[in-house]
Each structure stands twice: as C-alpha cells, then as structure tokens.
Amino acid sequence: EPEVTQTPSHQVTQMGQEVILRCVPISNHLYFYWYRQILGQKVEFLVSFYNNEISEKSEIFDDQFSVERPDGSNFTLKIRSTKLEDSAMYFCASSVRRLNTEAFFGQGTRLTVV
Amino acid sequence: GESVGLHLPTLSVQEGDNSIINCAYSNSASDYFIWYKQESGKGPQFIIDIRSNMDKRQGQRVTVLLNKTVKHLSLQIAATQPGDSAVYFCAENMDSGGYQKVTFGIGTKLQVIP
C-alpha cells in the first residue's frame, strides 16, 4: 500500500537553528500539506501546496516557515530560526484531489527545540 | 476558542461492544466533517467523512452521524476490537471562496478492554 514517508523521525535542534523536515508524498498525489501537533494538543493545519505554490496557509505559517518541492518526489518544510514553541510533531500529508479530507498522513517527525 | 471539541477525553469499552465517540462543532458553514484515528506514534488515519448535506454515512464497522440542529457529530464503531484502541478526533472542513480551512478537535482516547 502506498504511503507518505517522513524523515527524520526525530530531530533535535538548538533554538535559533534552521531545520528542514522532509517528506515523500504518494507518487500520484498532487496536493501536499503540512500539519503540526504540539504534545497533548490538537492537530493544526500549517500549509497546503499545489502546482509548485502555496495554495493555503494558516496564521501559524509565518515568515519563519517555508515549503518547497525541490524535485519530483520530495516536499520539505523549513523553519528558519527555530523557537522553543516550535517543538511539536510535524505531519506531512498528500492527496489526489484538492479536498484535504482524503489526505494520507505520514508517520510524523518529532521536532524538539532545546 | 475552539470550534471543534470532544465531550469525553477517554472511553473504555469491552471488546465486542459498540463504541460511540462524540464531537461538538460550532461552525455551521463547514462542508465536511471527518473522523481520524491516531495510533500511538503514527500519523492521523482517515476513517470516514460526511458531507454537511447528509445525516448518516456508513463504512466498514463504522457509522458517522451528523446532527446539524445541535451541531453534533458522532462516530459509532461496531463490535469494537483491540486494534481499535487509539485516539479518535473529529475535524471540520470549510470550503470558502476556493480556500479550505480545516479545524481539528483534541481527541478521545478509546481503550478496548479484552
């Protein structure tokens, strides 16, 4: 069964450092998403991406965040200068159609900012 | 404040019994409602969704009921199995002017007692 894969599974970084979280969406999917889940809290939408550009983003997705699809398979989330409050589980998802209710999620990357 | 929330943080059910997980929402403009299952250490997994113009939808062993009058959503799992143990959370999706906004609830932990 096709799946969304994310690397690394756990990333520890110092405050102020840049991190790049990587995702390989399902190959025939066209829409890509990033979500985050702070420990013990609800999942929050960050951004959606289609046709090599951001289609939607939430208020969380500020100038410190960026996304990129550098080649035909990877989809990355970059945080330029990490803050303690960026510590969370970050989930990548992809879908065939625009309706994100049908998205498949990866297993997540746990980001710990120290 | 949150527009989506769950009444019960933890639900313990005997194996073989039916489970009912509830969710309240506040945005009457939402188009879709979705139930996700999240097992420990994994990303959310889509279970079932329902359009706002429906009041019931059935899947394999699961049924989602939507009561728009009281803005209530429920997930019924028939013949609950140990593999159903997970956190279940609902989400509402609003498609507004070509943009989608998805809001997640916190979740209910379902514990299946063998």
Side-chain angles (χ1 to χ4, degrees), chain B residues 49-114:
Chain B
D49 64 359
I50 188 169
R51 288 179 177 262
S52 58
N53 62 355
M54 301 169 66
D55 53 23
K56 181 179 181 179
R57 190 175 184 204
Q58 287 186 292
Q60 188 177 14
R61 278 202 308 121
V62 295
T63 301
V64 56
L65 300 178
L66 176 62
N67 186 332
K68 294 183 288 294
T69 302
V70 295
K71 295 179 183 173
H72 185 266
L73 189 70
S74 70
L75 176 70
Q76 300 178 4
I77 304 173
T80 313
Q81 302 168 0
D84 294 328
S85 293
V87 174
Y88 292 80
F89 55 91
C90 65
E92 56 178 324
N93 186 86
M94 183 176 67
D95 197 335
S96 173
Y99 292 92
Q100 292 190 69
K101 178 178 171 64
V102 60
T103 306
F104 293 85
I106 291 176
T108 291
K109 185 175 181 180
L110 177 64
Q111 294 179 324
V112 181
I113 304 166

Side-chain angles (χ1 to χ4, degrees), chain B residues 1-20:
Chain B
E2 295 181 13
S3 63
V4 178
L6 294 170
H7 295 298
L8 301 173
T10 303
L11 177 66
S12 295
V13 175
Q14 203 73 37
E15 181 179 357
D17 287 351
N18 297 334
S19 303
I20 300 176

Side-chain angles (χ1 to χ4, degrees), chain B residues 30-64:
Chain B
S30 292
D31 307 284
Y32 277 85
F33 302 88
I34 314 105
W35 280 102
Y36 291 98
K37 173 185 181 182
Q38 188 175 23
E39 296 174 275
S40 181
K42 295 186 179 180
Q45 178 185 359
F46 170 86
I47 301 173
I48 192 169
D49 64 359
I50 188 169
R51 288 179 177 262
S52 58
N53 62 355
M54 301 169 66
D55 53 23
K56 181 179 181 179
R57 190 175 184 204
Q58 287 186 292
Q60 188 177 14
R61 278 202 308 121
V62 295
T63 301
V64 56

